[in-house]
Amino acid sequence: MKAIDDQQRATADLLVRDLLDTPAAPRAVWNLAGTVGSGKSLVLRMIQQSLTERGFSPLMVNAPAGDVDAASIALAGTA
């Protein structure tokens, strides 16, 4: 059985490959979902690191911890 870290690395690598192969477009959106503590944030940090190593400048947007509506808060803060 694979360790969680192996699964997270495989997910990050897959998403980076998909990202590099997908032209920028409004419909080029991924939804990374999982239970609390499943490693979503770790996968996003792995993706960020991988893209940085390839010369990209990824922007990580986070809402304040504990906010229920984190997505809209993060997007509003970015805007």
Side-chain angles (χ1 to χ4, degrees), residues 42-66:
L42 178 59
V43 168
L44 291 173
R45 284 192 299 273
M46 289 176 177
I47 291 169
Q48 183 181 31
Q49 179 181 354
S50 182
L51 291 173
T52 299
E53 290 169 357
R54 288 172 166 82
F56 292 89
S57 299
L59 174 64
M60 190 75 96
V61 178
N62 297 320

Side-chain angles (χ1 to χ4, degrees), residues 23-48:
R27 294 180 183 251
V29 176
W30 286 264
N31 180 22
L32 183 61
T35 60
V36 172
S38 63
K40 299 177 298 294
S41 295
L42 178 59
V43 168
L44 291 173
R45 284 192 299 273
M46 289 176 177
I47 291 169
Q48 183 181 31

